[in-house]
Amino acid sequence: MITALACAIVTVIAVNFRRLPSLRATMDAGANAAVLPAMSVASLVGFGAVVAAMPAFAVVRDAVLGIGGGPLVSLAVATNLLAALTGSASGGLTIALDALAATYVTRAAEIGLNPELLHRVAVIGSGTLDSLPHNGAVVSLLAVCGSTHRDSYRDIVVVGIIGGLVALAAVIALGSLVGSF
């Protein structure tokens, strides 16, 4: 994969060499533009690790495991809450699977639920409430676009949160009816 990426970079530079006024200046500008998003995401992933280490996290974990509606609904709520708390889909998903996977796999096996469906629900669930205002991707998107939370966050909610919740509900409903797809 790294070799393919390096070959692609060399090819793009070779094909567009005359269009690049100064290769070094272009590379410097790209590197400088990458620092803000990388630092935002890194700080929020660190925030997620701190949240998971807090004693209150055990309360959240226990509350999530007590939610009714079966393992699909409980897992969806768990990944949504953890993604919201951490501000990161990957952080919320990692924490949820590290802390809760064995419990949900056991519960799913007891009722004959496909583990692949559990995984789909977990992934979709983690990608909904992670789009709250403190999410690194949201902060980076707004910074790159030169916009503010006040001007653009309503649109992000409609696309990133409401759309994701609708998709999550559809997957849970279809998965409950069909078993897997």
Side-chain angles (χ1 to χ4, degrees), residues 26-113:
T26 301
M27 298 293 278
D28 286 347
N32 288 333
V35 171
L36 174 65
M39 294 306 289
S40 295
V41 170
S43 67
L44 289 170
V45 169
F47 172 73
V50 170
V51 167
M54 300 297 289
F57 178 74
V59 174
V60 172
R61 182 193 64 227
D62 294 342
V64 165
L65 289 173
I67 293 172
L72 291 179
V73 172
S74 177
L75 182 59
V77 171
T79 55
N80 264 294
L81 287 176
L82 291 170
L85 287 172
T86 61
S88 165
S90 59
L93 184 61
T94 299
I95 293 168
L97 294 181
D98 285 347
L100 307 171
T103 302
Y104 282 112
V105 168
T106 301
R107 288 182 179 179
E110 290 171 356
I111 63 171
L113 191 64

Side-chain angles (χ1 to χ4, degrees), residues 3-164:
T3 304
L5 182 59
C7 290
I9 291 169
V10 170
T11 302
V12 167
I13 290 172
V15 170
N16 294 301
F17 189 74
R18 293 180 190 235
R19 294 181 188 172
L20 299 174
S22 169
L23 183 58
R24 181 172 174 84
T26 301
M27 298 293 278
D28 286 347
N32 288 333
V35 171
L36 174 65
M39 294 306 289
S40 295
V41 170
S43 67
L44 289 170
V45 169
F47 172 73
V50 170
V51 167
M54 300 297 289
F57 178 74
V59 174
V60 172
R61 182 193 64 227
D62 294 342
V64 165
L65 289 173
I67 293 172
L72 291 179
V73 172
S74 177
L75 182 59
V77 171
T79 55
N80 264 294
L81 287 176
L82 291 170
L85 287 172
T86 61
S88 165
S90 59
L93 184 61
T94 299
I95 293 168
L97 294 181
D98 285 347
L100 307 171
T103 302
Y104 282 112
V105 168
T106 301
R107 288 182 179 179
E110 290 171 356
I111 63 171
L113 191 64
N114 189 333
E116 294 173 0
L117 180 59
L118 277 177
H119 184 262
R120 283 188 189 94
V121 167
V123 170
I124 296 169
S126 71
T128 52
L129 292 182
D130 75 315
S131 298
L132 293 176
H134 62 285
N135 175 278
V138 170
V139 172
S140 297
L141 171 70
L142 295 175
V144 168
C145 293
S147 190
T148 65
H149 281 80
R150 174 177 287 180
D151 295 334
S152 300
Y153 190 68
R154 185 176 302 133
D155 299 321
I156 293 170
V157 168
V158 170
V159 173
I161 296 176
I162 295 173

